[in-house]
């Protein structure tokens, strides 16, 4: 049976401010506090790799990614809606032009019918219309129909 052992990392953290042990004290040079002097900065040992400083848990990057994704999706949806609305607008304009043409034809037809109503109030026009279209005749008239 194996025992779970924690592995010791070969990565050593180096903090130049806290490195005052082992005879590297700079107090005798007139430096106040535990900080090394400016002339001589503490350096890490040559063979030991430095650990990378820990960053945040990635939450800010994740929030930014989610926010940008939401923005991209929204703008894509808005662009699609813009094209759909533009297409519907073009179709509506075509229908409007067709409706205007139909209205013009209806107005012309209405004017012709109004003129015919005025003519039908005249008795002479009614007699002429009856002779031409209905083949009616007056007293003592004989109708001859011939084809030219």
């Amino acid at each position: 049976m194996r025992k779970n052992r924690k592995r010791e990392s070969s990565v050593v953290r180096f903090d130049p401010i806290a490195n005052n042990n082992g005879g590297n004290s700079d107090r005798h040079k007139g430096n106040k506090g535990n900080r090394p002097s400016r002339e001589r900065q503490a350096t890490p040992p040559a063979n030991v790799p430095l650990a990378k400083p820990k960053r945040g848990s990635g939450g800010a990057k994740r929030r930014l990614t989610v926010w940008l994704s939401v923005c991209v999706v929204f703008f894509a949806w808005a662009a699609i809606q813009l094209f759909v609305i533009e297409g519907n607008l073009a179709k509506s304009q075509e229908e409007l032009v067709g409706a205007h043409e139909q209205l013009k034809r209806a107005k012309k037809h209405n004017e012709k019918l109004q003129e015919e109503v005025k003519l039908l109030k005249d008795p002479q026009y009614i007699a002429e219309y009856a002779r031409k279209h209905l083949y009616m005749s007056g007293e003592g008239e004989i109708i001859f129909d011939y084809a030219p």
Side-chain angles (χ1 to χ4, degrees), residues 1 4 13 27 86 98 105-106 113 115-116 123 141 143:
M1 188 166 177
N4 290 335
R13 294 190 183 275
R27 288 187 183 199
E86 188 174 321
R105 288 192 304 264
L113 291 176
E115 289 176 17
E116 191 172 337
E141 293 180 348
I143 297 177

Side-chain angles (χ1 to χ4, degrees), residues 22-115:
N24 289 335
S25 176
D26 292 333
R27 288 187 183 199
H28 63 278
K29 294 182 180 179
N31 193 10
K32 293 183 179 180
N34 292 334
R35 286 180 273 149
S37 67
R38 289 187 183 216
E39 298 104 28
R40 183 175 173 200
Q41 293 287 328
T43 57
N47 297 344
V48 180
L50 293 177
K52 293 183 180 179
K54 286 188 176 179
R55 290 189 174 183
S57 63
K61 187 174 181 180
R62 193 175 308 122
R63 281 191 301 271
L64 180 64
T65 304
V66 169
W67 188 80
L68 288 175
S69 300
V70 168
C71 288
V72 166
V73 168
F74 172 75
F75 284 117
W77 172 81
I80 290 170
Q81 291 300 318
L82 180 67
F83 288 122
V84 168
I85 289 171
E86 188 174 321
N88 290 341
L89 180 64
K91 185 188 293 185
S92 297
Q93 286 177 342
E94 290 174 5
E95 290 176 2
L96 182 64
V97 168
H100 279 296
E101 291 174 2
Q102 185 179 2
L103 179 63
K104 286 179 184 178
R105 288 192 304 264
K107 283 184 178 182
K108 286 181 183 178
H109 184 68
N110 193 18
E111 288 175 6
K112 287 181 183 179
L113 291 176
Q114 290 294 331
E115 289 176 17

